[in-house]
Amino acid sequence: GQQLNQSPQSMFIQEGEDVSMNCTSSSIFNTWLWYKQDPGEGPVLLIALYKAGELTSNGRLTAQFGITRKDSFLNISASIPSDVGIYFCAGCWNSGNTPLVFGKGTRLSVIA
Amino acid sequence: KAGVTQTPRYLIKTRGQQVTLSCSPISGHRSVSWYQQTPGQGLQFLFEYFSETQRNKGNFPGRFSGRQFSNSRSEMNVSTLELGDSALYLCASSEWRGASYNEQFFGPGTRLTVL
């Protein structure tokens, strides 16, 4: 099935550092989403983006919907140990409950 | 409000067997989607049910099937299990509000191991 290209695959950073990850697609999406998954849990929605060019923040997290509608990035500022986990981007076409297309995830490790 | 619940949480089966996984959506949510998560392929969409009808289907063989009951609870079934079916199976529920995006809330998943 179709997937998004998400990078980097993994990151090791020091506590307090900023983090950036991005996602690209060959297809246009109407909605971009960023999820975080902790071990033993399902993904939890962090940020949803609905409009090309949109920049949205959720606490220390900031995400942008690319103007081409084919990419998105997520920034985490001043990382803390609880930021550890796997971050997924996902895209979908707004049409009722059309399925989400996911990236393969960025595994984030924070060194205290 | 209780979240999405999935049972069982862990399951071990052998090749050739079949398995049924269950998902109870958030109260009031009428749409249930299923995803397969593996290290190699990531999260892949299996199918989505709304009002007891399959609305969307991913690119999986016919061995994978599902259904939804009148109370919105859903089950998925995998017949003739293969080693490659080992995965975390995630269920997500959402409301149905027409054309706008409807946030999907994920359950913790069922970890299936096929030996």
Side-chain angles (χ1 to χ4, degrees), chain A residues 1-3 8 13 23 28 30 33 36-37 43 49 68 81 92 95 107:
Chain A
Q2 181 183 5
Q3 277 195 321
I13 61 169
C23 217
I28 289 173
N30 291 334
L33 308 158
K36 182 187 180 210
Q37 186 175 25
L49 303 157
T68 66
C92 76
S95 178
R107 183 180 295 273

PDB file of all heavy atoms in Angstrom, chain A residues 1-3 8 13 23 28 30 33 36-37 43 49 68 81 92 95 107:
ATOM      1  N   GLY A   1       0.813  -1.196   0.000  1.00  0.00           N
ATOM      2  CA  GLY A   1       0.000   0.000   0.000  1.00  0.00           C
ATOM      3  C   GLY A   1       0.855   1.257   0.000  1.00  0.00           C
ATOM      4  O   GLY A   1       2.054   1.222   0.224  1.00  0.00           O
ATOM      5  N   GLN A   2       0.202   2.374  -0.256  1.00  0.00           N
ATOM      6  CA  GLN A   2       0.931   3.644  -0.303  1.00  0.00           C
ATOM      7  C   GLN A   2       1.450   4.012   1.073  1.00  0.00           C
ATOM      8  O   GLN A   2       0.800   3.772   2.098  1.00  0.00           O
ATOM      9  CB  GLN A   2      -0.003   4.741  -0.803  1.00  0.00           C
ATOM     10  CG  GLN A   2       0.660   6.105  -0.923  1.00  0.00           C
ATOM     11  CD  GLN A   2      -0.318   7.180  -1.343  1.00  0.00           C
ATOM     12  OE1 GLN A   2      -1.495   6.938  -1.448  1.00  0.00           O
ATOM     13  NE2 GLN A   2       0.179   8.375  -1.572  1.00  0.00           N
ATOM     14  N   GLN A   3       2.642   4.609   1.110  1.00  0.00           N
ATOM     15  CA  GLN A   3       3.179   5.111   2.362  1.00  0.00           C
ATOM     16  C   GLN A   3       3.845   6.450   2.130  1.00  0.00           C
ATOM     17  O   GLN A   3       4.195   6.820   1.023  1.00  0.00           O
ATOM     18  CB  GLN A   3       4.186   4.125   2.950  1.00  0.00           C
ATOM     19  CG  GLN A   3       3.530   3.002   3.732  1.00  0.00           C
ATOM     20  CD  GLN A   3       4.494   2.257   4.596  1.00  0.00           C
ATOM     21  OE1 GLN A   3       5.613   2.014   4.214  1.00  0.00           O
ATOM     22  NE2 GLN A   3       4.065   1.869   5.784  1.00  0.00           N
ATOM     23  N   PRO A   8      13.977  11.732   9.983  1.00  0.00           N
ATOM     24  CA  PRO A   8      14.830  10.548   9.947  1.00  0.00           C
ATOM     25  C   PRO A   8      14.106   9.337  10.534  1.00  0.00           C
ATOM     26  O   PRO A   8      13.041   9.473  11.122  1.00  0.00           O
ATOM     27  CB  PRO A   8      16.002  10.973  10.826  1.00  0.00           C
ATOM     28  CG  PRO A   8      15.392  11.891  11.832  1.00  0.00           C
ATOM     29  CD  PRO A   8      14.332  12.654  11.093  1.00  0.00           C
ATOM     30  N   ILE A  13      18.992  12.399  20.873  1.00  0.00           N
ATOM     31  CA  ILE A  13      19.272  13.799  21.183  1.00  0.00           C
ATOM     32  C   ILE A  13      19.445  13.972  22.682  1.00  0.00           C
ATOM     33  O   ILE A  13      19.021  13.137  23.480  1.00  0.00           O
ATOM     34  CB  ILE A  13      18.151  14.725  20.693  1.00  0.00           C
ATOM     35  CG1 ILE A  13      16.827  14.371  21.384  1.00  0.00           C
ATOM     36  CG2 ILE A  13      18.011  14.662  19.186  1.00  0.00           C
ATOM     37  CD1 ILE A  13      15.756  15.391  21.149  1.00  0.00           C
ATOM     38  N   CYS A  23       8.009  14.703   6.587  1.00  0.00           N
ATOM     39  CA  CYS A  23       7.269  13.682   5.865  1.00  0.00           C
ATOM     40  C   CYS A  23       6.972  14.197   4.469  1.00  0.00           C
ATOM     41  O   CYS A  23       6.544  15.357   4.311  1.00  0.00           O
ATOM     42  CB  CYS A  23       5.968  13.444   6.613  1.00  0.00           C
ATOM     43  SG  CYS A  23       5.450  11.763   6.616  1.00  0.00           S
ATOM     44  N   ILE A  28      -1.051  14.346  -3.148  1.00  0.00           N
ATOM     45  CA  ILE A  28      -1.577  15.476  -2.385  1.00  0.00           C
ATOM     46  C   ILE A  28      -2.524  14.964  -1.305  1.00  0.00           C
ATOM     47  O   ILE A  28      -3.326  14.063  -1.549  1.00  0.00           O
ATOM     48  CB  ILE A  28      -2.316  16.448  -3.318  1.00  0.00           C
ATOM     49  CG1 ILE A  28      -1.321  17.182  -4.209  1.00  0.00           C
ATOM     50  CG2 ILE A  28      -3.153  17.438  -2.532  1.00  0.00           C
ATOM     51  CD1 ILE A  28      -1.963  18.036  -5.277  1.00  0.00           C
ATOM     52  N   ASN A  30      -5.293  16.321   1.845  1.00  0.00           N
ATOM     53  CA  ASN A  30      -6.073  17.444   2.364  1.00  0.00           C
ATOM     54  C   ASN A  30      -5.883  17.637   3.862  1.00  0.00           C
ATOM     55  O   ASN A  30      -6.228  18.675   4.402  1.00  0.00           O
ATOM     56  CB  ASN A  30      -7.560  17.233   2.085  1.00  0.00           C
ATOM     57  CG  ASN A  30      -7.880  17.333   0.616  1.00  0.00           C
ATOM     58  OD1 ASN A  30      -7.165  18.002  -0.131  1.00  0.00           O
ATOM     59  ND2 ASN A  30      -8.931  16.671   0.181  1.00  0.00           N
ATOM     60  N   LEU A  33      -1.496  14.744   9.625  1.00  0.00           N
ATOM     61  CA  LEU A  33      -1.619  14.469  11.053  1.00  0.00           C
ATOM     62  C   LEU A  33      -0.282  13.993  11.593  1.00  0.00           C
ATOM     63  O   LEU A  33       0.504  13.363  10.869  1.00  0.00           O
ATOM     64  CB  LEU A  33      -2.665  13.370  11.292  1.00  0.00           C
ATOM     65  CG  LEU A  33      -4.031  13.616  10.642  1.00  0.00           C
ATOM     66  CD1 LEU A  33      -4.771  12.303  10.468  1.00  0.00           C
ATOM     67  CD2 LEU A  33      -4.845  14.572  11.484  1.00  0.00           C
ATOM     68  N   LYS A  36       1.927  10.234  18.073  1.00  0.00           N
ATOM     69  CA  LYS A  36       3.012   9.655  18.872  1.00  0.00           C
ATOM     70  C   LYS A  36       2.526   8.316  19.426  1.00  0.00           C
ATOM     71  O   LYS A  36       1.376   8.201  19.879  1.00  0.00           O
ATOM     72  CB  LYS A  36       3.385  10.581  20.039  1.00  0.00           C
ATOM     73  CG  LYS A  36       4.537  10.046  20.873  1.00  0.00           C
ATOM     74  CD  LYS A  36       4.782  10.885  22.097  1.00  0.00           C
ATOM     75  CE  LYS A  36       5.953  10.301  22.896  1.00  0.00           C
ATOM     76  NZ  LYS A  36       5.838  10.540  24.322  1.00  0.00           N
ATOM     77  N   GLN A  37       3.426   7.343  19.388  1.00  0.00           N
ATOM     78  CA  GLN A  37       3.089   6.023  19.906  1.00  0.00           C
ATOM     79  C   GLN A  37       4.100   5.634  20.977  1.00  0.00           C
ATOM     80  O   GLN A  37       5.301   5.610  20.730  1.00  0.00           O
ATOM     81  CB  GLN A  37       3.078   4.972  18.787  1.00  0.00           C
ATOM     82  CG  GLN A  37       2.597   3.604  19.231  1.00  0.00           C
ATOM     83  CD  GLN A  37       2.478   2.637  18.066  1.00  0.00           C
ATOM     84  OE1 GLN A  37       3.133   2.776  17.047  1.00  0.00           O
ATOM     85  NE2 GLN A  37       1.611   1.623  18.211  1.00  0.00           N
ATOM     86  N   PRO A  43      -1.321   4.695  18.645  1.00  0.00           N
ATOM     87  CA  PRO A  43      -0.918   6.080  18.357  1.00  0.00           C
ATOM     88  C   PRO A  43      -1.901   7.082  18.965  1.00  0.00           C
ATOM     89  O   PRO A  43      -3.109   6.838  18.990  1.00  0.00           O
ATOM     90  CB  PRO A  43      -0.955   6.141  16.830  1.00  0.00           C
ATOM     91  CG  PRO A  43      -0.846   4.723  16.378  1.00  0.00           C
ATOM     92  CD  PRO A  43      -1.543   3.918  17.423  1.00  0.00           C
ATOM     93  N   LEU A  49      -3.517  19.102  10.836  1.00  0.00           N
ATOM     94  CA  LEU A  49      -3.370  20.245   9.937  1.00  0.00           C
ATOM     95  C   LEU A  49      -4.342  20.087   8.779  1.00  0.00           C
ATOM     96  O   LEU A  49      -4.381  19.036   8.134  1.00  0.00           O
ATOM     97  CB  LEU A  49      -1.932  20.306   9.403  1.00  0.00           C
ATOM     98  CG  LEU A  49      -0.849  20.392  10.467  1.00  0.00           C
ATOM     99  CD1 LEU A  49       0.479  19.893   9.917  1.00  0.00           C
ATOM    100  CD2 LEU A  49      -0.690  21.834  10.956  1.00  0.00           C
ATOM    101  N   THR A  68       2.730  22.814  -0.921  1.00  0.00           N
ATOM    102  CA  THR A  68       2.467  21.930  -2.058  1.00  0.00           C
ATOM    103  C   THR A  68       1.442  20.854  -1.716  1.00  0.00           C
ATOM    104  O   THR A  68       0.980  20.117  -2.578  1.00  0.00           O
ATOM    105  CB  THR A  68       3.753  21.234  -2.537  1.00  0.00           C
ATOM    106  OG1 THR A  68       4.199  20.356  -1.502  1.00  0.00           O
ATOM    107  CG2 THR A  68       4.825  22.246  -2.881  1.00  0.00           C
ATOM    108  N   PRO A  81      12.629  13.997  28.652  1.00  0.00           N
ATOM    109  CA  PRO A  81      12.640  12.530  28.578  1.00  0.00           C
ATOM    110  C   PRO A  81      11.308  11.901  28.158  1.00  0.00           C
ATOM    111  O   PRO A  81      11.296  10.896  27.448  1.00  0.00           O
ATOM    112  CB  PRO A  81      13.030  12.120  30.003  1.00  0.00           C
ATOM    113  CG  PRO A  81      13.891  13.236  30.482  1.00  0.00           C
ATOM    114  CD  PRO A  81      13.273  14.480  29.895  1.00  0.00           C
ATOM    115  N   CYS A  92      -4.424  12.112   4.842  1.00  0.00           N
ATOM    116  CA  CYS A  92      -5.666  11.566   4.326  1.00  0.00           C
ATOM    117  C   CYS A  92      -6.351  12.599   3.444  1.00  0.00           C
ATOM    118  O   CYS A  92      -6.009  13.780   3.455  1.00  0.00           O
ATOM    119  CB  CYS A  92      -6.592  11.101   5.450  1.00  0.00           C
ATOM    120  SG  CYS A  92      -7.430  12.410   6.342  1.00  0.00           S
ATOM    121  N   SER A  95     -12.822  13.034   3.153  1.00  0.00           N
ATOM    122  CA  SER A  95     -14.022  12.494   2.519  1.00  0.00           C
ATOM    123  C   SER A  95     -14.614  11.487   3.475  1.00  0.00           C
ATOM    124  O   SER A  95     -14.394  10.289   3.335  1.00  0.00           O
ATOM    125  CB  SER A  95     -13.682  11.841   1.182  1.00  0.00           C
ATOM    126  OG  SER A  95     -14.841  11.293   0.597  1.00  0.00           O
ATOM    127  N   ARG A 107      11.811   7.203  15.392  1.00  0.00           N
ATOM    128  CA  ARG A 107      12.004   6.772  16.782  1.00  0.00           C
ATOM    129  C   ARG A 107      12.903   7.785  17.471  1.00  0.00           C
ATOM    130  O   ARG A 107      14.049   7.974  17.075  1.00  0.00           O
ATOM    131  CB  ARG A 107      12.630   5.385  16.830  1.00  0.00           C
ATOM    132  CG  ARG A 107      12.793   4.839  18.250  1.00  0.00           C
ATOM    133  CD  ARG A 107      13.412   3.448  18.227  1.00  0.00           C
ATOM    134  NE  ARG A 107      12.540   2.482  17.590  1.00  0.00           N
ATOM    135  CZ  ARG A 107      11.600   1.799  18.207  1.00  0.00           C
ATOM    136  NH1 ARG A 107      11.388   1.990  19.500  1.00  0.00           N
ATOM    137  NH2 ARG A 107      10.872   0.912  17.562  1.00  0.00           N
TER     138      ARG A 107
END
